[in-house]
Amino acid sequence: MKRNLFSAFLLSGALLLGACNNNKTEVGAEGMNAAAANANDATAAPVVDNPNVANETEAPNPNAPVMTFAVSEHDFGDIKPGDVVKHTFEFTNTGKSPLLIENATASCGCTTPNWTKEPIAPGGKGTIDVQFDSHGKSGIQNKEVAIQANTQPSITKVVIKTNILSDGQNGPTR
C-alpha cells in the first residue's frame, strides 16, 4: 500500500514538473507588452482563406449566382391545431453563373424544406417547398429555413409564420 502511494506521488510530481514551462518571462509591463507584440505578429495566427466568406475589403464576385425571391416571407394566417400546411417559395437566378443549392435546413423539426436539386441557369427559376406540421404546437409560430447555395453570401433565409388557434380544451391561447 505504501509502495503504491509513494509511486503515485512520485509519478504526479514528475508530471507536474514536466508540465511546467521554464521559459516563462516575468509578468509585468515588459512581459505583457512583449506578449501583445507577439500576438499581433502575422505568424502568430495564420489567416485561412474561405471563398464563401467575404470580408469588408474583399469585392464580391460579379459572376456569382444570385438567388432572388419574389417573396421571402409567407404568413399562413390562423390554422387549426394539427394542420399540415405547405408553401412554395419561387426564386430566380439573377446572377451570371449557374446556381446550385447544397442544402436547406429548418429552425425546427416541425418544418420540412424541399428544393430544386438541379443547377439553375442564369435567368432560370427554382423553388423551395416548405411544409409546416402544427401537431403539438400552439399560438404564434415563426420558422426560418436557411438555404445554403453557391451564392454570396452563401446562406439565404426564407420565413414562414402562422397562428395556431386554440383547440378549446385547455382554454384560450395567449
Side-chain angles (χ1 to χ4, degrees):
M1 175 76 172
K2 287 183 183 180
R3 181 178 278 172
N4 286 342
L5 185 60
F6 180 72
S7 296
F9 179 71
L10 191 59
L11 181 61
S12 64
L15 288 173
L16 182 63
L17 289 175
C20 290
N21 183 358
N22 294 331
N23 296 330
K24 289 183 181 175
T25 57
E26 289 266 336
V27 175
E30 193 173 281
M32 291 178 77
N33 289 339
N38 288 341
N40 291 331
D41 187 10
T43 60
V47 176
V48 177
D49 186 26
N50 183 346
N52 291 327
V53 178
N55 63 28
E56 295 91 29
T57 60
E58 185 179 348
N61 179 359
N63 296 321
V66 178
M67 187 181 292
T68 304
F69 284 91
V71 176
S72 62
E73 190 175 297
H74 179 73
D75 189 344
F76 290 108
D78 294 339
I79 63 172
K80 293 183 278 186
D83 281 355
V84 176
V85 291
K86 183 177 178 182
H87 179 73
T88 300
F89 290 95
E90 295 182 357
F91 65 90
T92 304
N93 178 2
T94 58
K96 296 182 180 178
S97 60
L99 188 150
L100 184 60
I101 298 173
E102 183 177 322
N103 197 10
T105 55
S107 59
C108 172
C110 59
T111 306
T112 310
N114 191 13
W115 61 93
T116 303
K117 306 290 193 263
E118 303 80 28
I120 297 112
K125 296 187 181 294
T127 59
I128 307 286
D129 295 326
V130 179
Q131 180 175 301
F132 173 72
D133 185 349
S134 68
H135 286 91
K137 305 280 183 199
S138 63
I140 296 174
Q141 302 289 314
N142 292 312
K143 305 297 178 186
E144 273 188 352
V145 175
I147 305 150
Q148 185 176 1
N150 61 338
T151 56
Q152 285 184 342
S154 63
I155 303 289
T156 305
K157 294 182 180 180
V158 293
V159 177
I160 59 169
K161 298 178 179 183
T162 190
N163 178 35
I164 303 168
L165 299 172
S166 172
D167 61 3
Q169 294 177 357
N170 298 326
T173 303
R174 291 184 197 204

